[in-house]
Amino acid sequence: MNPELSLTEENYLKAIYHLSEDSGLDVSTNSIADEMATKPASVSDMLRRLSKKGVVHYQKYRGVSITDSGRKIALQVIRKHRLWEVFLVEKLGFNWDEVHDVAEQLEHIKSSLLTQRLDKFLGHPTMDPHGDPIPDENGEIKEAPQLPLADLQPETQGIVVKVPDSDPSLLRHLDKLNMRLGSKIMIHDKVEFDNSVLIQIDEHEKIYLSGEIAKTIMLAVK
Amino acid sequence: MNPELSLTEENYLKAIYHLSEDSGLDVSTNSIADEMATKPASVSDMLRRLSKKGVVHYQKYRGVSITDSGRKIALQVIRKHRLWEVFLVEKLGFNWDEVHDVAEQLEHIKSSLLTQRLDKFLGHPTMDPHGDPIPDENGEIKEAPQLPLADLQPETQGIVVKVPDSDPSLLRHLDKLNMRLGSKIMIHDKVEFDNSVLIQIDEHEKIYLSGEIAKTIMLAVK
DNA sequence: AAATATCTTTAGATATATCTAAAAATATTT
DNA sequence: AAATATTTTTAGATATATCTAAAGATATTT
């Protein structure tokens, strides 16, 4: 069976998971200390403990990697975090940038029944309000396909996961339209003549967006 | 402003609140130790701390009472506990005997926005699934007049508004008898010998209920 | 009011989770 | 490969939250 982890241990494990996902390499003590806003000495202590519990593979001075058992636990925590984010945004009307701190607390609630029921209540979502995938009960992640807004068919929807970061004037324009990372976009119509699209951004008014811009906006779909 | 309390401190404060509500007197170290399933020595330590934070009034060897500031905090925790219970039962389809442990965790989530939004989402409920009143944002409680089933006279009737929320085996038993919040109870007879009562629950068969259980069931009487 | 019983506190331990400062190991530069 | 820099660990402190055992205070009984 998986070991019981304290809240702190869960947070360390999550940090190690994210860092090794990003780099693909063993994770250093210092990088964990940065991520956790703590000191390397504290990290060393914790790594010995996590290693004893079998959730990480740790060699002194050589860095740390996550074990299968550890990955499973980390993914369960991430699953709960993202399910709660969906709940906060979809059901309680939070903005997507207000949910993180609350979800950081809710993700540690221990009740597999709760997670199961919450998942069902939310309609088994596969994506959180930032477009990140929600691992299933077994820790499987199905990465949502990302497409340019321009390629989506009418009556489908997606979440903005990438906008070109090179053009300040475009960013200002998008901001004025209330389109930002995490915005939920519903495509209502495509205009053949100029490839512009009729879209609704979150709960705002429908607007037309030029095909030129629509080509640069990446959406995570389903 | 109210002091920040740790999860443990919140739980002690809640226990002290409940104990002093029940007895009306100053609360003893031993009774808190029982309630918290810990040792009196630990309670003494905690009382000094809570006192220093101004949430209880404490005199060595003389027991403890809750201050206005402490009561406010306790009532906020109780408010959150009961709102979450409503959520679990009404929205996630939990049985009312499955919610206590999860609500014990959820009640400590710190976000006044969350509490506000949850309250609104649930339609501003005034009672939890066990019939206990939900304090409002200001800690006001509106209590309905209640009597133990055991105290009612034969040929009178009432509505179940409260059952103890701490004993899952009792809750399961009552559920099997079809007795739940809102059930209409008619008292047909009282047996002097053992204080058991002959009752009819809604439109079900008449049954005998032990005096022990009858003492714990609170009814709203016309 | 003395003896006894009960309740409460204090003192001293243990375990967690952190820190700083110093030591040790590893990596980089010259 | 020696010197230097960086990273990591260890050792020793501090604060919380608990415990047991012993001492002290209060309450009850005779």
Side-chain angles (χ1 to χ4, degrees):
Chain A
M1 255 314 280
N2 286 331
E4 275 288 301
L5 297 192
S6 74
L7 183 147
T8 313
E9 290 166 340
E10 280 190 356
N11 282 333
Y12 270 93
L13 202 57
K14 210 174 38 142
I16 294 166
Y17 173 82
H18 284 308
L19 288 167
S20 48
E21 282 298 294
D22 290 353
S23 73
L25 300 169
D26 281 11
V27 178
S28 75
T29 301
N30 268 5
S31 62
I32 298 170
D34 282 358
E35 182 80 10
M36 298 289 295
T38 183
K39 296 296 146 73
S42 310
V43 175
S44 286
D45 286 346
M46 180 56 80
L47 293 183
R48 230 186 312 104
R49 269 175 51 200
L50 290 177
S51 177
K52 212 167 61 185
K53 296 200 177 191
V55 295
V56 301
H57 184 244
Y58 171 52
Q59 285 179 291
K60 294 201 300 191
Y61 297 103
R62 295 276 126 177
V64 74
S65 60
I66 201 160
T67 65
D68 285 349
S69 142
R71 182 175 299 105
K72 212 161 199 170
I73 294 172
L75 284 166
Q76 277 316 304
V77 177
I78 290 167
R79 169 171 165 76
K80 288 189 281 180
H81 183 103
R82 293 180 180 168
L83 284 174
W84 281 116
E85 285 194 341
V86 173
F87 170 72
L88 294 172
V89 169
E90 299 277 314
K91 302 294 182 181
L92 297 197
F94 277 62
N95 295 324
W96 72 296
D97 57 346
E98 297 173 323
V99 299
H100 189 76
D101 290 350
V102 183
E104 285 286 303
Q105 298 178 63
L106 287 164
E107 73 187 7
H108 299 292
I109 303 292
K110 282 179 171 42
S111 163
S112 50
L113 183 60
L114 174 61
T115 310
Q116 235 169 267
R117 296 278 170 92
L118 180 65
D119 180 45
K120 188 177 172 189
F121 178 62
L122 299 173
H124 306 290
T126 59
M127 209 191 284
D128 78 8
H130 308 95
D132 293 316
I134 299 176
D136 69 17
E137 324 80 68
N138 307 313
E140 303 288 338
I141 291 186
K142 282 197 206 73
E143 200 76 43
Q146 298 185 2
L147 289 171
L149 203 172
D151 289 7
L152 264 74
Q153 295 309 307
E155 306 314 320
T156 61
Q157 63 173 40
I159 290 175
V160 177
V161 291
K162 203 191 275 177
V163 296
D165 58 354
S166 47
D167 189 334
S169 76
L170 173 58
L171 288 175
R172 273 195 300 278
H173 178 58
L174 294 178
D175 198 61
K176 205 153 39 185
L177 300 179
N178 296 297
M179 184 191 290
R180 40 193 71 96
L181 286 178
S183 293
K184 188 174 69 185
I185 311 288
M186 170 68 83
I187 292 84
H188 287 283
D189 200 11
K190 295 175 82 162
V191 181
E192 262 183 63
F193 178 73
D194 65 351
N195 292 314
S196 64
V197 287
L198 179 62
I199 62 170
Q200 187 180 20
I201 303 172
D202 292 322
E203 312 310 322
H204 300 282
E205 298 287 302
K206 292 178 190 172
I207 54 158
Y208 282 101
L209 195 73
S210 76
E212 265 194 313
I213 295 183
K215 277 192 297 187
T216 72
I217 310 288
M218 296 299 289
L219 299 189
V221 191
K222 182 120 173 257
Chain B
M1 256 315 281
N2 286 331
E4 275 288 303
L5 297 192
S6 74
L7 182 147
T8 312
E9 290 166 340
E10 281 190 355
N11 281 333
Y12 269 94
L13 201 57
K14 210 175 35 143
I16 294 166
Y17 173 82
H18 283 308
L19 288 167
S20 47
E21 283 298 293
D22 290 354
S23 72
L25 300 169
D26 282 11
V27 178
S28 74
T29 300
N30 267 5
S31 62
I32 298 170
D34 284 357
E35 182 80 9
M36 298 290 295
T38 183
K39 295 297 145 71
S42 309
V43 175
S44 286
D45 286 346
M46 181 56 80
L47 292 183
R48 230 186 314 104
R49 268 175 52 199
L50 290 177
S51 177
K52 212 167 62 186
K53 295 201 176 189
V55 295
V56 300
H57 184 245
Y58 171 52
Q59 284 181 289
K60 291 201 302 191
Y61 296 104
R62 296 274 125 174
V64 74
S65 60
I66 201 160
T67 64
D68 284 349
S69 142
R71 181 175 301 103
K72 212 160 198 171
I73 294 171
L75 284 165
Q76 279 314 305
V77 177
I78 290 167
R79 170 171 165 76
K80 288 189 280 180
H81 182 103
R82 293 179 182 168
L83 284 173
W84 280 116
E85 286 194 339
V86 173
F87 171 71
L88 294 173
V89 169
E90 300 275 315
K91 301 294 182 181
L92 297 197
F94 277 62
N95 295 323
W96 64 335
D97 58 341
E98 298 172 322
V99 298
H100 189 78
D101 291 350
V102 183
E104 284 287 303
Q105 298 178 63
L106 288 164
E107 72 187 8
H108 300 292
I109 304 291
K110 282 179 170 39
S111 163
S112 50
L113 183 60
L114 174 61
T115 309
Q116 234 169 267
R117 296 278 170 94
L118 181 64
D119 180 45
K120 187 178 172 188
F121 178 62
L122 299 173
H124 306 290
T126 59
M127 216 188 261
D128 78 8
H130 309 94
D132 293 315
I134 300 176
D136 69 18
E137 323 79 70
N138 308 309
E140 303 288 340
I141 291 185
K142 282 196 208 74
E143 192 97 41
Q146 297 174 5
L147 281 175
L149 203 169
D151 287 8
L152 265 74
Q153 294 310 306
E155 306 314 320
T156 62
Q157 64 174 42
I159 303 284
V160 177
V161 292
K162 194 165 165 186
V163 297
D165 64 351
S166 46
D167 188 335
S169 75
L170 173 58
L171 290 173
R172 275 194 297 277
H173 177 58
L174 295 178
D175 201 60
K176 204 153 41 184
L177 300 179
N178 296 297
M179 183 189 290
R180 41 190 69 94
L181 286 178
S183 297
K184 184 176 71 184
I185 311 286
M186 169 69 81
I187 291 85
H188 288 283
D189 199 10
K190 294 175 80 164
V191 181
E192 261 182 64
F193 179 72
D194 65 351
N195 293 313
S196 65
V197 288
L198 180 63
I199 62 171
Q200 187 180 21
I201 302 172
D202 292 323
E203 310 311 321
H204 300 284
E205 297 287 304
K206 291 179 192 173
I207 53 158
Y208 283 100
L209 196 71
S210 77
E212 266 193 315
I213 294 182
K215 279 192 296 187
T216 71
I217 310 290
M218 298 298 290
L219 300 189
V221 189
K222 174 164 44 170

